[in-house]
Each structure stands twice: as structure tokens, then as C-alpha cells.
Amino acid sequence: AERVEKLGAGVMLKKDKPEYIKSAVIKVINSNEYKENSKNISKSFHNAGGAKRAADVILKIIDETQQHLSQDEEAINELEKVDKQVANLAKYMVNIGGYPIYKNTDVKYFSLGEEKFEEMKVQIKNAKKFIFMEYFIVEESYMWNSILELLEEKVKEGVEVRFMYDGMCALSLLPYDYPEYIKKKGIKCKMFSPIKPVLSTAQNNRDHRKILVIDGEVAFNGGINLGDEYINRIEKYGHWKDTAVMITGEAVKSFTLMFLQMWNINEKDHDDFEKYISIEKEELNASGYVMPYGDSPLDNENVGENVYLDILATAKEYVHIMTPYLIIDNEMMTALTYAAKRGIDVKLILPSIPDKKSAFMLARTYYSELIQAGVKIYEYTPGFVHAKVFSSDDEKAVVGTINL
């Protein structure tokens, strides 16, 4: 059996005055496509017009967008004075992942899907130029229908709206021709990697992101898809615990470009990227640093895992983790247990009511070794944890779409 590979994303926030900080956010964003991985990418995006054409398209998009993702030297120099270790992580991310770290960005944390849903509606109503949405799961539901009604209204007001969702939805959640239905409403719509009745390893590459970008000024990300279980309107596995973040400010640019990179993969004429990122800079009363980043099965770099390993390796007091699944390799097991053995308070929160029993049983096979090393494991008794969160030392955190 072949495993399904997923495109994940995240953002890291580092406070510039750790001693005054009570919380921080790192969230997960989009996939990365790198020049040196064109062979792998060409295999995955076969529907872009053949392997060679797919590779050429990806390389062209990277060239077009990379110039907009350069690191601000003032920001990285200031960060080096505050925390050399986090600055090194930021350098790794911009050099390998292609995503810079930003200042002048606010972050708002949502501890439940219901909270994010309400804020999404507010921000969509305020849209004036464009709305970009990219989601792993969307199903016809109160949540999605409520958002769709707002999107239709914005189209009538002249706002450009684009919606992209993963092709797995066509198996059971949406009709295969759903993009055509959405297009009739004036919304640009497409499926990422549509499922086709042929054998292909490309169908294992799924878009796991949950991104909403509005006017290049506001962006959402986290674990919450577009379905009623995510806002606890219906109950599938008890109470659904999920998280998300909304960012405003300069770091939104990375989300905008990540969406456009994916959207333009199979477009003949690429967007004018400058059009969507030329936003008047507004000075915010924001502290700390925000680093959007992405992970992808299309390259040989485990960016998401490396960020988690870095947090575990550099923690001074604690690392607290929420994850729906616990499917870890030897390197991650060593990192978790070593952190606990050297006195770090390592806590894991997992579901008590699973959505996938096999994954739940597999997670429990790791419990004994982790507990013996001093890792504390909790199960969320009201229901299912779908959140993907790392937080450490009241200084840094990750909220996103990358499971442990």
C-alpha cells in the first residue's frame, strides 16, 4: 500500500522580548517547490502538460516569485541580537524553504473552529480586492454554504474570488464537476490533483493546506477545514478540538505567493504576482517575528519535521504539543525522549475519540517508551483533537497543518 503524501504549511512567531511574552504562534502554510527538485515535481504534476512541461512550469513560477520572497536584512539582524538560535532557524528557512521571517505582523489565535469561522465571515465581508481560498477538505455544509453565500456577494461587488480544493473531495464529498458549478457563480475554481481512474503515484500527493488570504492584508491558516464537524455544528467524534491563526501585516505576502504558486501550476499564462503583493505597508503595533513556511513531499527536505526537531532540541523549560496522530520515526522519538530526559517538560495532547482507529492504535504503541522517558501524555476526553500545535518556553509556537 502506498502512503498519501500531503502538502503542509506553517508560520513561526518569535517574540523580541521573551521575558514579557505569554504566548507565541508558529503556523503552517504551504508547499515549497525548489529548482533542484524539478524531477520529483515533474512526476507529481503530470497533468500540467507532461513531465518536462511540468518541471519547466514550476521552475518558471519559482523564478517569478522568489524575487518577492527575499529576506529583509534589518529584521534578521535584529533577530540575531534577540535570539541567535531562532535567527539561525530563520536562515535555514529562507535558504532551504525559500520563505523569509517578518516583523510588523500581528497574530490572532483561535482555540476552536467556531471562533475562526466567525472571524472568517467578518474578514470576507470586508474584502475589497481579492479573496484566495485553498482547502484540503470542503463539503456541502452549513459552514461552507455560509461562506459561499458571502463569496457570491463579494463577486457582485467586483471582488476577485478564487477557490481551490484537493481532488480527494471528489471521491465522496463533492461532485466531480463541482468546479463548474462554482464557476457559474463568478468564482474562479479548480481541484488540486483531480482523482482519475488510472494508476499513478501522482495521486498520492495531496494539498493538505487550509489557507484564506484577503486583499494581501489578512491571512488564515491552521487545522480547520470547511465542514460542520470543524465548528462543532455536528458531532462525529465527540467535541472537535481544532486551532487556527489569523495574521495581518507583512507576513501575509508569503501566504499570497504560496497560493499563487499552486494556482499557476497548470495555468498557461501566469499571474502578475506584483499585482497581489503591492500592498501599502502599514506600521502595526506588533512585537515579535512571524515566519510562514511550507513543507512538501515533492522535495527531499523535511522542513516541517526539522522545525519541530529544532524546537525540541533548543527548549529550555517546556514543549507542549497537540496532534491528532502520533506516527513518528526514530529521529522524532529520540528528540522527544531526550528532551524529557534532560528535564524539559514535554507534554503531548492526543484524541480520546479517534477518527481513524488504526492510527489511534498505532499512536498508543509509542506510549510506553515515551512515558518511561518522562514524556507526559494526555488524551482529550471530550472528543477528537485535530489541532497541530507546538509551543515552547513562552517564546515560540507553531500552528498549522503538519501532523506529528
Side-chain angles (χ1 to χ4, degrees), residues 166-308:
D166 189 76
M168 289 289 287
C169 293
L171 290 179
S172 60
L173 299 177
L174 296 173
Y176 196 83
D177 61 352
Y178 195 69
E180 299 307 313
Y181 167 74
I182 296 297
K183 288 176 184 176
K184 290 178 181 178
K185 298 177 181 293
I187 299 170
K188 299 177 183 179
C189 182
K190 62 172 65 176
M191 278 193 288
F192 173 85
S193 190
I195 298 295
K196 297 182 179 180
V198 294
L199 293 176
S200 170
T201 57
Q203 298 191 34
N204 281 355
N205 292 321
R206 311 313 323 167
D207 185 350
H208 197 233
R209 294 177 290 180
K210 297 94 175 168
I211 294 175
L212 167 61
V213 180
I214 299 171
D215 293 344
E217 299 175 353
V218 178
F220 290 79
N221 195 37
I224 300 157
N225 285 296
L226 301 174
D228 285 349
E229 63 268 35
Y230 295 91
I231 58 173
N232 287 296
R233 190 172 177 88
I234 62 173
E235 185 175 299
K236 283 189 174 182
Y237 312 104
H239 184 265
W240 193 285
K241 172 63 177 176
D242 220 327
T243 59
V245 287
M246 178 181 75
I247 70 169
T248 55
E250 294 181 21
V252 174
K253 181 170 69 172
S254 285
F255 284 100
T256 305
L257 289 170
M258 286 185 233
F259 174 89
L260 290 171
Q261 285 177 352
M262 295 297 288
W263 182 273
N264 281 276
I265 284 172
N266 56 1
E267 293 290 318
K268 182 179 180 181
D269 298 316
H270 295 168
D271 283 298
D272 176 6
F273 301 111
E274 189 70 33
K275 172 184 175 182
Y276 297 100
I277 61 173
S278 296
I279 309 299
E280 185 176 348
K281 184 183 295 187
E282 178 184 354
E283 289 300 322
L284 304 174
N285 186 24
S287 62
Y289 302 82
V290 177
M291 184 173 67
Y293 64 94
D295 203 357
S296 167
L298 307 181
D299 55 58
N300 297 316
E301 193 76 22
N302 294 322
V303 171
E305 183 178 27
N306 285 343
V307 171
Y308 289 162

Side-chain angles (χ1 to χ4, degrees), residues 260-389:
L260 290 171
Q261 285 177 352
M262 295 297 288
W263 182 273
N264 281 276
I265 284 172
N266 56 1
E267 293 290 318
K268 182 179 180 181
D269 298 316
H270 295 168
D271 283 298
D272 176 6
F273 301 111
E274 189 70 33
K275 172 184 175 182
Y276 297 100
I277 61 173
S278 296
I279 309 299
E280 185 176 348
K281 184 183 295 187
E282 178 184 354
E283 289 300 322
L284 304 174
N285 186 24
S287 62
Y289 302 82
V290 177
M291 184 173 67
Y293 64 94
D295 203 357
S296 167
L298 307 181
D299 55 58
N300 297 316
E301 193 76 22
N302 294 322
V303 171
E305 183 178 27
N306 285 343
V307 171
Y308 289 162
L309 291 171
D310 188 89
I311 291 173
L312 286 163
T314 59
K316 298 182 286 290
E317 295 183 15
Y318 74 82
V319 178
H320 295 166
I321 302 165
M322 279 194 288
T323 179
Y325 313 111
L326 189 65
I327 304 173
I328 54 179
D329 56 19
N330 182 66
E331 189 174 12
M332 182 58 70
M333 173 64 81
T334 300
L336 289 164
T337 55
Y338 174 63
K341 289 174 181 177
R342 63 186 178 89
I344 303 301
D345 176 28
V346 181
K347 289 188 174 76
L348 295 173
I349 302 177
L350 291 104
S352 179
I353 302 175
D355 68 332
K356 300 175 179 64
K357 291 186 178 180
S358 57
F360 185 62
M361 294 172 64
L362 177 59
R364 287 191 162 185
T365 64
Y366 299 111
Y367 280 17
S368 178
E369 184 175 351
L370 290 167
I371 291 171
Q372 288 180 16
V375 176
K376 303 177 182 70
I377 300 177
Y378 301 83
E379 291 186 351
Y380 183 66
T381 53
F384 181 61
V385 171
H386 190 250
K388 307 93 166 59
V389 176

